[in-house]
Amino acid sequence: LGLLAQADAVVLVTRLDPPGLRLTRQYQAALADAGVPADAVAVVANRYGQSGLVPWKKAEEALRTTVRAWLPDDPG
């Protein structure tokens, strides 16, 4: 994690399901503990649009941050 503290940007890619959000919160906390500024961390939602995912507004509330990009679910 030491190198991440020196990075200009860190991207966390997550699914918007409960386990994914829980892990992302843990990663955010670990990055903060390592000295990575919160504004350097960008959260990206992967496979957005699948059924069973947490709605985006609730996901942002749970993560306490804005999701900066949305990667749609496109299996084809």
Side-chain angles (χ1 to χ4, degrees), residues 2 6-7 11-12 15 21-22 32 36 40 47 75:
Q6 298 175 14
V11 178
L12 285 177
R15 286 178 43 113
L21 294 174
R22 187 172 34 255
V36 177
R47 302 193 69 147

Side-chain angles (χ1 to χ4, degrees), residues 3-73:
L3 290 176
L4 292 176
Q6 298 175 14
D8 293 330
V10 177
V11 178
L12 285 177
V13 180
T14 185
R15 286 178 43 113
L16 299 183
D17 56 3
L21 294 174
R22 187 172 34 255
L23 284 172
T24 301
R25 281 196 313 253
Q26 291 173 0
Y27 294 148
Q28 287 173 314
L31 290 169
D33 290 345
V36 177
D39 61 342
V41 178
V43 176
V44 174
N46 193 23
R47 302 193 69 147
Y48 184 70
Q50 281 187 331
S51 63
L53 299 180
V54 174
W56 69 271
K57 193 68 172 171
K58 293 281 187 190
E60 288 185 334
E61 289 173 11
L63 295 173
R64 298 180 193 99
T65 190
T66 302
V67 175
R68 295 195 193 173
W70 304 87
L71 304 174
D73 181 38

